[in-house]
Amino acid sequence: MSKLDQVLILDPPSDLKFKGPFTDVVTSNLKLKNPSDRRVCFKVKTTAPRRYCVRPNSGVIDAGATVNISVMLQPFEYDPNEKSKHKFMVQTIFAPPNVSDMDSLWKDAKPDELMDSKLRCVFEMPSENDRVNDVEATRAVPAMNSVRAEPTPAVMPTAAAAADDAEMKKVLEKCRRLQAEVNKLTEENRQLKDDAYRIRKMPRSDHMTSNSTNLVGREHTIAYLPSLLVVLAAIFIGFFSGKFIL
């Protein structure tokens, strides 16, 4: 009895291509489509089992369904002068009504029930243009990130420093005005005390009544001046300290 033709449709149909460099795992995808109205069991084999990892490497495909298989080539030192002799085979068989033991199914299968397709492994190194494009793309990403990141720290501190300088100038100007007011009031208080002292030393007379009245008023003013100075000093110190603490 002649051998059955492969019932599954393979994509790619004949070659599994792996694109280098091969310094890391390289994956090639294989699709198995079941166009029939029966369930099909499959198994994927390779001539170099230590070099590849296949997921899934076996299973059952329902009628009209498709299975995606990942074939992962492990890292190795690529020699362009060495031709690849690695091959894969997709072996299939129609599934019986009740599939319980897959190992027994394949072990007991008759040769005329088996179907298979062979695929050749092809290794490709990237061209010079591809390498240049990859390098430029890699460099472009950090360059774009740096362009986006630089303006924020460059602008924000400058604006903040300018605002602080303007605020500081306002505070210093207010401090100078308050200091000038305090100095003026201190000088007036000193002069009033001197005038009061001289008036006390002068002889008393009736015609001094009006002067005494004025003196009493000025003495009251002198009495209130220290309190006024204390209030102004407290305002000045509180304003100045609060501004810098905030």
Side-chain angles (χ1 to χ4, degrees), residues 65-140:
T66 301
V67 171
N68 295 320
I69 297 177
S70 298
V71 182
M72 292 164 278
L73 172 63
Q74 304 304 308
F76 72 102
E77 294 183 5
Y78 175 70
D79 185 0
N81 297 322
E82 182 181 353
K83 294 183 179 181
S84 173
K85 298 180 180 180
H86 300 170
K87 294 180 181 180
F88 276 83
M89 182 174 69
V90 179
Q91 198 171 39
T92 58
I93 187 174
F94 285 110
N98 296 318
V99 181
S100 58
D101 189 351
M102 296 294 294
D103 293 335
S104 299
L105 173 67
W106 290 106
K107 183 178 180 181
D108 299 336
K110 298 177 181 180
D112 56 0
E113 296 176 340
L114 297 176
M115 299 167 282
D116 61 66
S117 298
K118 294 182 175 62
L119 298 95
R120 185 172 60 98
C121 295
V122 179
F123 299 153
E124 296 179 348
M125 288 297 291
S127 62
E128 291 298 327
N129 292 335
D130 293 339
R131 293 179 181 177
V132 172
N133 292 336
D134 291 341
V135 171
E136 291 180 352
T138 304
R139 292 177 179 176

Side-chain angles (χ1 to χ4, degrees), residues 20 26 37 52 57 84-85 88 90 116 121-122 129 142 169 171 183 199 201 246:
V26 180
D37 57 356
Y52 298 91
N57 60 358
S84 173
K85 298 180 180 180
F88 276 83
V90 179
D116 61 66
C121 295
V122 179
N129 292 335
K169 290 180 180 179
V171 173
N183 292 338
I199 291 173
K201 293 296 184 181
L246 295 175

Side-chain angles (χ1 to χ4, degrees), residues 43-226:
K43 181 191 296 184
V44 181
K45 297 181 178 180
T46 179
T47 57
R50 295 183 179 180
R51 300 287 292 275
Y52 298 91
C53 181
V54 182
R55 293 290 183 273
N57 60 358
S58 63
V60 180
I61 307 177
D62 293 331
T66 301
V67 171
N68 295 320
I69 297 177
S70 298
V71 182
M72 292 164 278
L73 172 63
Q74 304 304 308
F76 72 102
E77 294 183 5
Y78 175 70
D79 185 0
N81 297 322
E82 182 181 353
K83 294 183 179 181
S84 173
K85 298 180 180 180
H86 300 170
K87 294 180 181 180
F88 276 83
M89 182 174 69
V90 179
Q91 198 171 39
T92 58
I93 187 174
F94 285 110
N98 296 318
V99 181
S100 58
D101 189 351
M102 296 294 294
D103 293 335
S104 299
L105 173 67
W106 290 106
K107 183 178 180 181
D108 299 336
K110 298 177 181 180
D112 56 0
E113 296 176 340
L114 297 176
M115 299 167 282
D116 61 66
S117 298
K118 294 182 175 62
L119 298 95
R120 185 172 60 98
C121 295
V122 179
F123 299 153
E124 296 179 348
M125 288 297 291
S127 62
E128 291 298 327
N129 292 335
D130 293 339
R131 293 179 181 177
V132 172
N133 292 336
D134 291 341
V135 171
E136 291 180 352
T138 304
R139 292 177 179 176
V141 172
M144 292 177 65
N145 292 336
S146 62
V147 169
R148 294 174 181 173
E150 288 177 359
T152 300
V155 174
M156 293 301 293
T158 302
D164 291 342
D165 291 341
E167 193 69 20
M168 180 65 70
K169 290 180 180 179
K170 292 180 181 179
V171 173
L172 292 177
E173 183 64 26
K174 291 181 180 179
C175 290
R176 283 194 291 268
R177 288 200 300 267
L178 289 174
Q179 184 64 41
E181 292 292 335
V182 171
N183 292 338
K184 182 178 179 181
L185 290 174
T186 302
E187 180 64 21
E188 291 179 355
N189 186 43
R190 186 185 63 81
Q191 291 179 358
L192 289 173
K193 286 182 179 180
D194 292 343
D195 292 343
Y197 180 75
R198 286 196 301 270
I199 291 173
R200 288 194 186 99
K201 293 296 184 181
M202 294 175 62
R204 298 182 178 180
S205 61
D206 294 338
H207 68 274
M208 295 293 294
T209 303
S210 60
N211 292 336
S212 299
T213 303
N214 293 335
L215 177 61
V216 170
R218 296 175 70 180
E219 287 181 347
H220 280 292
T221 303
I222 294 172
Y224 285 111
L225 277 176

Side-chain angles (χ1 to χ4, degrees), residues 9-16 29-33 119:
I9 299 175
L10 279 63
D11 181 21
S14 58
D15 295 337
L16 280 176
N29 295 317
L30 174 64
K31 291 183 179 180
L32 304 180
K33 183 178 181 180
L119 298 95

